[in-house]
Coordinates of all heavy atoms in Angstrom, one line a residue:
M29 N -1.9 18.4 2.1 CA -2.3 17.0 2.4 C -3.4 17.0 3.5 O -3.3 17.7 4.5 CB -1.0 16.4 2.9 CG -1.0 15.0 3.3 SD -0.9 13.5 3.0 CE -1.1 12.6 4.5
F30 N -4.4 16.2 3.2 CA -5.5 16.1 4.2 C -5.1 15.4 5.5 O -4.3 14.5 5.4 CB -6.7 15.4 3.5 CG -6.5 14.0 3.1 CD1 -6.8 12.9 4.0 CD2 -5.9 13.7 1.9 CE1 -6.5 11.6 3.6 CE2 -5.7 12.4 1.5 CZ -6.0 11.4 2.4
E31 N -5.7 15.8 6.6 CA -5.3 15.2 7.9 C -6.4 14.5 8.6 O -6.2 13.9 9.7 CB -4.7 16.3 8.8 CG -3.5 17.1 8.2 CD -3.2 18.3 9.0 OE1 -3.3 18.3 10.3 OE2 -2.9 19.3 8.4
S32 N -7.6 14.8 8.2 CA -8.8 14.2 8.8 C -9.8 14.0 7.7 O -9.7 14.4 6.6 CB -9.3 15.1 9.9 OG -9.9 16.2 9.4
R33 N -10.9 13.4 8.1 CA -12.0 13.2 7.2 C -12.9 14.5 7.2 O -13.5 14.9 6.2 CB -12.9 12.0 7.5 CG -12.1 10.7 7.6 CD -11.5 10.3 6.4 NE -10.7 9.0 6.5 CZ -9.8 8.6 5.7 NH1 -9.4 9.4 4.7 NH2 -9.2 7.5 5.9
C34 N -13.0 15.1 8.4 CA -14.0 16.2 8.6 C -13.5 17.6 8.3 O -14.2 18.5 8.3 CB -14.6 16.1 10.0 SG -13.3 16.4 11.3
G35 N -12.1 17.7 8.3 CA -11.6 19.1 8.1 C -10.8 19.6 9.3 O -10.2 20.6 9.3
V36 N -10.8 18.8 10.4 CA -10.0 19.1 11.5 C -8.5 19.1 11.1 O -8.1 18.1 10.5 CB -10.3 18.2 12.7 CG1 -9.2 18.2 13.7 CG2 -11.6 18.5 13.4
C37 N -7.7 20.0 11.6 CA -6.3 20.0 11.3 C -5.6 19.3 12.4 O -5.1 19.9 13.4 CB -5.8 21.4 11.1 SG -6.2 22.1 9.4
C38 N -5.4 18.0 12.3 CA -4.8 17.2 13.4 C -3.4 17.6 13.6 O -2.9 17.5 14.7 CB -5.0 15.7 13.0 SG -6.7 15.2 12.8
G39 N -2.7 18.0 12.6 CA -1.3 18.3 12.8 C -1.0 19.5 13.7 O 0.1 19.5 14.4
S40 N -2.0 20.3 13.9 CA -1.8 21.5 14.8 C -2.5 21.3 16.1 O -2.7 22.3 16.9 CB -2.2 22.8 14.1 OG -3.5 22.7 13.6
C41 N -3.0 20.1 16.4 CA -3.8 19.9 17.6 C -2.8 19.7 18.8 O -1.9 18.8 18.7 CB -4.7 18.6 17.5 SG -5.5 18.2 19.0
E42 N -3.0 20.4 19.8 CA -2.1 20.4 21.0 C -2.4 19.2 21.9 O -1.6 18.8 22.7 CB -2.2 21.7 21.8 CG -1.7 22.9 21.1 CD -2.0 24.2 21.8 OE1 -2.6 24.1 22.9 OE2 -1.6 25.2 21.2
R43 N -3.5 18.5 21.7 CA -3.9 17.4 22.6 C -3.4 16.1 22.0 O -3.6 15.0 22.6 CB -5.4 17.4 22.8 CG -5.9 18.6 23.6 CD -7.4 18.5 23.8 NE -7.8 17.3 24.4 CZ -8.9 16.6 24.1 NH1 -9.6 16.9 23.1 NH2 -9.2 15.5 24.8
K44 N -3.0 16.1 20.8 CA -2.7 14.9 20.0 C -1.9 13.8 20.8 O -2.3 12.7 20.9 CB -2.0 15.3 18.7 CG -2.1 14.3 17.6 CD -1.5 14.8 16.3 CE -1.5 13.7 15.3 NZ -0.8 14.1 14.1
E45 N -0.7 14.3 21.3 CA 0.1 13.3 22.0 C -0.5 12.8 23.3 O -0.4 11.7 23.7 CB 1.5 13.9 22.2 CG 2.3 13.9 20.9 CD 3.6 14.6 21.1 OE1 4.1 14.7 22.2 OE2 4.1 15.1 20.0
K46 N -1.1 13.8 24.0 CA -1.7 13.5 25.3 C -2.8 12.4 25.2 O -2.8 11.5 26.0 CB -2.3 14.8 25.9 CG -2.6 14.7 27.4 CD -3.1 16.0 27.9 CE -3.7 15.8 29.3 NZ -4.5 17.0 29.7
V47 N -3.6 12.5 24.2 CA -4.7 11.5 24.1 C -4.3 10.3 23.1 O -5.1 9.5 22.8 CB -6.0 12.2 23.6 CG1 -6.4 13.2 24.5 CG2 -5.8 12.7 22.2
K48 N -3.0 10.3 22.7 CA -2.4 9.2 21.9 C -3.2 9.1 20.6 O -3.6 8.0 20.2 CB -2.4 7.9 22.7 CG -1.5 7.9 23.9 CD -1.3 6.5 24.4 CE -0.3 6.4 25.5 NZ -0.4 7.3 26.6
C49 N -3.4 10.2 19.9 CA -4.2 10.2 18.7 C -3.2 10.3 17.5 O -2.3 11.2 17.5 CB -5.1 11.4 18.6 SG -6.1 11.5 17.1
L50 N -3.3 9.4 16.6 CA -2.4 9.5 15.4 C -3.1 10.1 14.2 O -2.5 10.3 13.2 CB -2.0 8.0 15.0 CG -1.3 7.2 16.0 CD1 -1.1 5.8 15.5 CD2 0.1 7.8 16.4
G51 N -4.3 10.5 14.5 CA -5.1 11.1 13.4 C -6.1 10.0 12.8 O -5.7 8.8 12.6
C52 N -7.3 10.4 12.5 CA -8.3 9.4 12.2 C -8.1 8.8 10.8 O -8.8 7.9 10.4 CB -9.7 9.9 12.4 SG -10.2 11.1 11.1
T53 N -7.3 9.4 10.0 CA -7.0 8.9 8.6 C -6.1 7.7 8.7 O -6.0 6.8 7.8 CB -6.4 9.9 7.7 OG1 -5.2 10.4 8.2 CG2 -7.3 11.1 7.4
I54 N -5.4 7.6 9.9 CA -4.5 6.4 10.1 C -5.1 5.4 11.0 O -4.9 4.2 10.8 CB -3.2 7.0 10.7 CG1 -2.5 7.9 9.7 CG2 -2.2 5.8 11.1 CD1 -1.3 8.7 10.3
M55 N -5.8 5.9 12.0 CA -6.4 5.0 13.0 C -7.7 4.4 12.5 O -8.5 5.0 11.9 CB -6.6 5.7 14.3 CG -5.3 6.2 15.0 SD -5.6 7.4 16.2 CE -5.9 6.4 17.6
E56 N -7.9 3.1 12.8 CA -9.2 2.4 12.4 C -10.4 3.0 13.2 O -11.4 3.2 12.6 CB -9.1 0.9 12.7 CG -10.1 0.1 12.1 CD -10.0 -1.4 12.4 OE1 -8.8 -1.8 12.5 OE2 -11.0 -2.0 12.5
K57 N -10.2 3.3 14.4 CA -11.2 4.0 15.2 C -10.7 5.3 15.7 O -9.5 5.5 15.9 CB -11.6 3.1 16.4 CG -12.5 2.0 16.1 CD -13.2 1.4 17.3 CE -14.4 0.5 16.9 NZ -15.6 1.1 17.2
P58 N -11.5 6.3 16.0 CA -11.1 7.6 16.5 C -10.4 7.3 17.9 O -10.6 6.3 18.5 CB -12.3 8.4 16.7 CG -13.4 7.7 15.9 CD -13.0 6.3 15.8
F59 N -9.6 8.3 18.3 CA -8.7 8.1 19.5 C -9.6 7.7 20.7 O -9.1 7.0 21.6 CB -7.9 9.3 19.8 CG -8.6 10.5 20.3 CD1 -8.8 10.7 21.6 CD2 -9.1 11.4 19.4 CE1 -9.5 11.8 22.1 CE2 -9.8 12.5 19.9 CZ -10.0 12.7 21.2
W60 N -10.8 8.1 20.8 CA -11.6 7.8 22.0 C -12.2 6.4 21.9 O -12.9 6.0 22.9 CB -12.7 8.9 22.2 CG -13.8 8.9 21.1 CD1 -15.0 8.2 21.2 CD2 -13.9 9.7 19.9 NE1 -15.7 8.5 20.0 CE2 -15.1 9.4 19.3 CE3 -13.0 10.6 19.4 CZ2 -15.4 10.0 18.1 CZ3 -13.4 11.2 18.1 CH2 -14.6 10.9 17.5
G61 N -12.0 5.7 20.8 CA -12.5 4.3 20.7 C -13.9 4.1 20.3 O -14.3 3.0 20.2
G62 N -14.6 5.2 20.2 CA -16.0 5.1 19.8 C -16.2 5.2 18.3 O -15.3 4.8 17.5
D63 N -17.3 5.7 17.9 CA -17.6 5.9 16.5 C -17.8 7.3 16.1 O -18.4 8.1 16.8 CB -18.9 5.1 16.1 CG -18.6 3.6 16.2 OD1 -17.7 3.1 15.6 OD2 -19.4 2.9 16.9
C64 N -17.3 7.7 15.0 CA -17.5 9.0 14.4 C -18.3 8.8 13.1 O -17.8 8.2 12.2 CB -16.2 9.7 14.1 SG -16.4 11.3 13.2
G65 N -19.5 9.4 13.1 CA -20.3 9.2 11.9 C -19.7 9.7 10.6 O -19.8 9.2 9.5
V66 N -19.0 10.8 10.8 CA -18.4 11.5 9.6 C -17.2 10.6 9.1 O -17.2 10.3 7.9 CB -17.9 12.9 9.9 CG1 -17.0 13.4 8.8 CG2 -19.0 13.8 10.2
K67 N -16.4 10.1 10.0 CA -15.3 9.2 9.6 C -15.8 8.0 8.9 O -15.4 7.6 7.8 CB -14.5 8.9 10.8 CG -13.4 7.8 10.6 CD -12.6 7.6 11.8 CE -11.8 6.3 11.8 NZ -10.8 6.2 10.8
T68 N -16.8 7.4 9.5 CA -17.4 6.1 9.0 C -18.0 6.4 7.6 O -17.7 5.6 6.6 CB -18.5 5.6 9.9 OG1 -17.9 5.3 11.2 CG2 -19.1 4.3 9.4
C69 N -18.8 7.4 7.5 CA -19.5 7.7 6.2 C -18.5 8.0 5.1 O -18.5 7.4 4.0 CB -20.4 8.9 6.4 SG -21.2 9.4 4.9
C70 N -17.5 8.8 5.4 CA -16.5 9.2 4.4 C -15.7 8.0 3.9 O -15.5 7.8 2.7 CB -15.6 10.2 5.1 SG -14.6 11.2 4.0
E71 N -15.3 7.2 4.9 CA -14.5 6.0 4.5 C -15.3 5.0 3.7 O -14.8 4.4 2.8 CB -13.8 5.4 5.8 CG -12.8 6.3 6.3 CD -12.2 5.9 7.6 OE1 -12.6 4.9 8.2 OE2 -11.3 6.6 8.1
E72 N -16.6 4.8 4.1 CA -17.4 3.8 3.4 C -17.6 4.3 1.9 O -17.8 3.5 1.0 CB -18.8 3.7 4.1 CG -18.7 2.8 5.3 CD -20.0 2.7 6.0 OE1 -21.0 3.3 5.6 OE2 -20.1 1.9 7.0
K73 N -17.7 5.6 1.7 CA -17.9 6.1 0.4 C -16.6 6.2 -0.4 O -16.6 6.5 -1.6 CB -18.5 7.5 0.4 CG -20.0 7.4 0.9 CD -20.7 8.7 1.0 CE -22.2 8.4 1.2 NZ -22.9 9.6 1.6
G74 N -15.5 6.0 0.2 CA -14.2 5.9 -0.4 C -13.5 7.3 -0.7 O -12.6 7.4 -1.5
W75 N -14.0 8.3 0.0 CA -13.4 9.6 -0.1 C -12.2 9.7 0.9 O -12.2 9.1 1.9 CB -14.4 10.7 0.2 CG -15.7 10.7 -0.5 CD1 -16.9 10.6 0.0 CD2 -15.9 10.6 -2.0 NE1 -17.9 10.6 -1.0 CE2 -17.3 10.6 -2.2 CE3 -15.0 10.7 -3.1 CZ2 -17.8 10.5 -3.5 CZ3 -15.5 10.6 -4.3 CH2 -16.9 10.6 -4.5
D76 N -11.2 10.6 0.5 CA -10.2 10.9 1.4 C -10.7 11.8 2.5 O -10.2 11.7 3.7 CB -9.0 11.5 0.7 CG -8.2 10.6 -0.2 OD1 -8.2 9.4 0.2 OD2 -7.6 11.0 -1.1
H77 N -11.5 12.7 2.2 CA -12.1 13.7 3.1 C -13.4 14.2 2.6 O -13.7 14.0 1.4 CB -11.1 14.9 3.4 CG -10.7 15.6 2.1 ND1 -11.6 16.5 1.6 CD2 -9.7 15.5 1.3 CE1 -11.0 17.0 0.5 NE2 -9.8 16.4 0.3
C78 N -14.2 14.8 3.4 CA -15.6 15.2 3.0 C -15.6 16.2 1.9 O -16.6 16.2 1.1 CB -16.3 15.8 4.2 SG -16.8 14.5 5.4
G79 N -14.5 16.9 1.7 CA -14.5 17.9 0.6 C -14.6 17.3 -0.8 O -14.9 17.9 -1.8
E80 N -14.3 16.0 -0.9 CA -14.4 15.3 -2.1 C -15.8 14.8 -2.4 O -16.1 14.3 -3.5 CB -13.5 14.0 -2.1 CG -12.0 14.4 -2.0 CD -11.1 13.2 -2.1 OE1 -11.6 12.1 -1.8 OE2 -9.9 13.4 -2.3
C81 N -16.7 14.9 -1.4 CA -18.0 14.3 -1.5 C -19.0 15.2 -2.3 O -19.1 16.4 -2.0 CB -18.5 14.0 -0.1 SG -20.2 13.4 -0.1
P82 N -19.8 14.7 -3.2 CA -20.7 15.5 -3.9 C -21.8 16.0 -3.0 O -22.5 17.0 -3.4 CB -21.3 14.6 -5.0 CG -20.9 13.2 -4.7 CD -19.7 13.3 -3.8
D83 N -22.0 15.4 -1.9 CA -23.1 15.9 -0.9 C -22.5 16.8 0.1 O -23.2 17.3 1.0 CB -23.7 14.7 -0.2 CG -24.4 13.7 -1.2 OD1 -25.0 14.2 -2.1 OD2 -24.3 12.5 -1.0
F84 N -21.3 17.2 0.0 CA -20.6 18.1 0.9 C -21.2 19.5 0.8 O -21.4 20.0 -0.3 CB -19.1 18.2 0.6 CG -18.4 19.3 1.5 CD1 -17.9 19.0 2.7 CD2 -18.2 20.5 1.0 CE1 -17.3 19.9 3.5 CE2 -17.5 21.5 1.7 CZ -17.1 21.2 3.0
P85 N -21.5 20.2 2.0 CA -21.5 19.6 3.3 C -22.9 19.1 3.7 O -23.8 19.8 3.7 CB -21.1 20.8 4.2 CG -21.7 22.0 3.4 CD -21.8 21.6 2.0
C86 N -22.9 17.8 4.0 CA -24.2 17.2 4.4 C -24.6 17.8 5.8 O -23.7 18.4 6.4 CB -24.1 15.7 4.4 SG -23.1 15.1 5.7
Q87 N -25.7 17.5 6.3 CA -26.2 17.9 7.6 C -25.2 17.5 8.7 O -24.9 18.2 9.6 CB -27.6 17.4 7.9 CG -28.7 18.0 7.1 CD -28.9 19.5 7.6 OE1 -28.7 19.8 8.7 NE2 -29.4 20.3 6.7
M88 N -24.8 16.2 8.6 CA -23.9 15.6 9.7 C -22.6 16.4 9.7 O -22.1 16.8 10.8 CB -23.7 14.1 9.4 CG -22.8 13.5 10.4 SD -22.9 11.7 10.4 CE -22.4 11.3 8.7
E89 N -22.0 16.6 8.5 CA -20.7 17.2 8.4 C -20.8 18.7 8.8 O -20.0 19.3 9.5 CB -20.1 17.1 7.0 CG -19.0 18.0 6.6 CD -17.7 17.7 7.3 OE1 -17.7 17.0 8.3 OE2 -16.7 18.3 6.9
A90 N -21.9 19.3 8.4 CA -22.1 20.8 8.6 C -22.4 21.1 10.1 O -22.0 22.2 10.6 CB -23.2 21.3 7.8
N91 N -23.0 20.1 10.8 CA -23.4 20.4 12.2 C -22.6 19.8 13.2 O -22.8 20.0 14.4 CB -24.9 19.9 12.4 CG -25.8 20.8 11.5 OD1 -25.7 22.0 11.4 ND2 -26.8 20.1 10.9
M92 N -21.6 19.0 12.8 CA -20.8 18.3 13.9 C -20.1 19.3 14.7 O -19.4 20.2 14.2 CB -19.8 17.3 13.2 CG -19.1 16.4 14.2 SD -18.1 15.2 13.4 CE -16.8 16.3 12.7
G93 N -20.2 19.1 16.0 CA -19.5 19.9 17.0 C -20.2 21.2 17.4 O -19.8 21.9 18.3
V94 N -21.2 21.6 16.7 CA -21.9 22.8 17.0 C -22.5 22.8 18.4 O -22.3 23.8 19.1 CB -23.1 23.1 15.9 CG1 -23.9 24.3 16.3 CG2 -22.5 23.3 14.5
E95 N -23.1 21.7 18.8 CA -23.6 21.7 20.1 C -22.6 21.7 21.2 O -22.9 22.1 22.4 CB -24.6 20.5 20.3 CG -23.9 19.1 20.2 CD -24.9 18.0 20.3 OE1 -26.0 18.1 19.8 OE2 -24.5 16.9 20.8
M96 N -21.3 21.5 20.9 CA -20.2 21.6 21.9 C -19.6 23.0 21.8 O -18.6 23.2 22.4 CB -19.2 20.5 21.6 CG -19.7 19.1 22.1 SD -18.4 17.8 21.9 CE -18.5 17.5 20.2
G97 N -20.1 23.8 20.9 CA -19.6 25.2 20.8 C -18.5 25.4 19.8 O -17.9 26.5 19.7
F98 N -18.3 24.4 18.9 CA -17.3 24.6 17.9 C -17.9 25.2 16.6 O -19.0 24.9 16.3 CB -16.6 23.3 17.5 CG -15.8 22.7 18.6 CD1 -16.2 21.6 19.3 CD2 -14.5 23.3 18.9 CE1 -15.5 21.0 20.3 CE2 -13.8 22.7 20.0 CZ -14.3 21.6 20.7
D99 N -17.2 26.1 16.0 CA -17.6 26.7 14.7 C -17.3 25.8 13.6 O -16.1 25.6 13.3 CB -16.9 28.1 14.6 CG -17.4 28.8 13.3 OD1 -18.2 28.2 12.6 OD2 -16.8 29.8 13.0
P100 N -18.3 25.2 12.9 CA -18.0 24.3 11.8 C -17.4 25.0 10.6 O -16.8 24.3 9.8 CB -19.3 23.7 11.5 CG -20.3 24.7 11.9 CD -19.7 25.4 13.1
A101 N -17.5 26.3 10.5 CA -17.0 27.0 9.3 C -15.5 26.7 9.0 O -15.1 26.6 7.9 CB -17.3 28.5 9.4
V102 N -14.7 26.6 10.1 CA -13.3 26.4 10.0 C -13.0 25.0 9.3 O -12.2 24.9 8.4 CB -12.6 26.4 11.4 CG1 -11.1 26.3 11.2 CG2 -13.0 27.8 12.1
R103 N -13.7 24.0 9.8 CA -13.5 22.7 9.2 C -14.0 22.6 7.7 O -13.3 22.0 6.9 CB -14.3 21.6 10.0 CG -13.8 21.1 11.3 CD -14.6 20.0 11.8 NE -16.0 20.2 12.0 CZ -17.0 19.9 11.2 NH1 -16.7 19.2 10.0 NH2 -18.2 20.2 11.4
L104 N -15.1 23.2 7.5 CA -15.7 23.2 6.2 C -14.8 23.9 5.2 O -14.6 23.4 4.0 CB -17.1 23.8 6.1 CG -18.1 23.1 7.1 CD1 -19.5 23.7 7.0 CD2 -18.2 21.6 6.8
E105 N -14.2 25.0 5.6 CA -13.3 25.7 4.7 C -12.1 24.9 4.4 O -11.5 24.9 3.3 CB -13.0 27.1 5.4 CG -12.2 28.0 4.5 CD -12.8 28.3 3.1 OE1 -14.0 28.3 3.0 OE2 -12.0 28.5 2.2
Q106 N -11.6 24.2 5.5 CA -10.4 23.4 5.3 C -10.7 22.3 4.3 O -9.9 22.0 3.4 CB -10.0 22.8 6.6 CG -8.7 22.0 6.6 CD -7.5 22.9 6.1 OE1 -7.2 23.9 6.7 NE2 -6.9 22.5 5.0
C107 N -11.9 21.7 4.3 CA -12.2 20.6 3.4 C -12.2 21.2 2.0 O -11.8 20.5 1.0 CB -13.6 20.0 3.7 SG -13.6 18.8 5.0
R108 N -12.8 22.4 1.8 CA -12.8 23.0 0.5 C -11.4 23.3 0.0 O -11.1 23.0 -1.2 CB -13.5 24.4 0.6 CG -15.0 24.2 0.8 CD -15.8 25.5 0.6 NE -17.2 25.3 1.0 CZ -17.7 25.6 2.1 NH1 -17.0 26.2 3.1 NH2 -19.0 25.3 2.4
K109 N -10.5 23.7 0.9 CA -9.1 23.9 0.4 C -8.4 22.6 0.0 O -7.7 22.5 -1.0 CB -8.3 24.5 1.6 CG -8.5 26.0 1.8 CD -7.6 26.5 2.9 CE -8.1 28.0 3.2 NZ -7.6 28.4 4.6
W110 N -8.7 21.5 0.8 CA -8.1 20.2 0.4 C -8.6 19.8 -0.9 O -7.9 19.2 -1.7 CB -8.4 19.2 1.5 CG -7.6 19.3 2.8 CD1 -6.4 20.0 2.9 CD2 -8.0 18.8 4.0 NE1 -6.0 19.9 4.2 CE2 -6.9 19.2 4.9 CE3 -9.0 18.1 4.5 CZ2 -7.0 18.9 6.3 CZ3 -9.0 17.8 5.9 CH2 -8.0 18.2 6.8
A111 N -9.9 20.0 -1.2 CA -10.5 19.6 -2.4 C -10.0 20.3 -3.6 O -10.0 19.8 -4.7 CB -12.1 19.8 -2.3
E112 N -9.5 21.5 -3.4 CA -8.9 22.3 -4.5 C -7.6 21.8 -5.0 O -7.2 22.0 -6.1 CB -8.8 23.8 -4.1 CG -10.1 24.6 -4.1 CD -9.9 25.9 -3.4 OE1 -8.8 26.3 -3.1 OE2 -11.0 26.5 -3.2
K113 N -6.9 21.1 -4.1 CA -5.5 20.6 -4.4 C -5.5 19.4 -5.3 O -6.4 18.7 -5.4 CB -4.8 20.3 -3.1 CG -4.4 21.5 -2.3 CD -3.6 21.2 -1.0 CE -3.4 22.5 -0.2 NZ -3.0 22.2 1.1
Ligands
SF4_229 S1 -14.3 14.2 14.3 FE1 -14.3 12.2 13.2 S2 -13.7 12.7 11.1 FE2 -13.1 14.4 12.4 S3 -11.0 14.1 13.1 FE3 -12.3 13.2 14.6 S4 -12.6 11.1 14.1 FE4 -11.9 12.2 12.3
SF4_230 S1 -19.9 15.2 3.4 FE1 -21.4 14.0 4.6 S2 -22.2 12.5 3.2 FE2 -20.3 13.3 2.3 S3 -18.7 11.9 3.1 FE3 -18.8 13.6 4.6 S4 -20.2 12.9 6.1 FE4 -20.5 11.5 4.4

């Protein structure tokens, strides 16, 4: 079952309760109250997650978090797995 739009595995996030995040598939806005381009794009297109999108992985999805030091490969692989189900 998919847990986010971008491939983040929210179920195994240790910060979830501390930051009062229910997961962005449930919340109208991300837990920080701002905007997430990936969440917005994915929901506007009517996909459950980016792995369903014919443009996957677009530049935005492929590069999100890179400048903060996160490896996007993990998220992208998760989206591929969700898409296979
Ligand atoms: S980065 Fe965006 S799409 Fe990914 S879990 Fe957070 S709000 Fe959802
Ligand atoms: S892969 Fe890119 S274009 Fe497709 S839904 Fe995700 S953010 Fe939007």
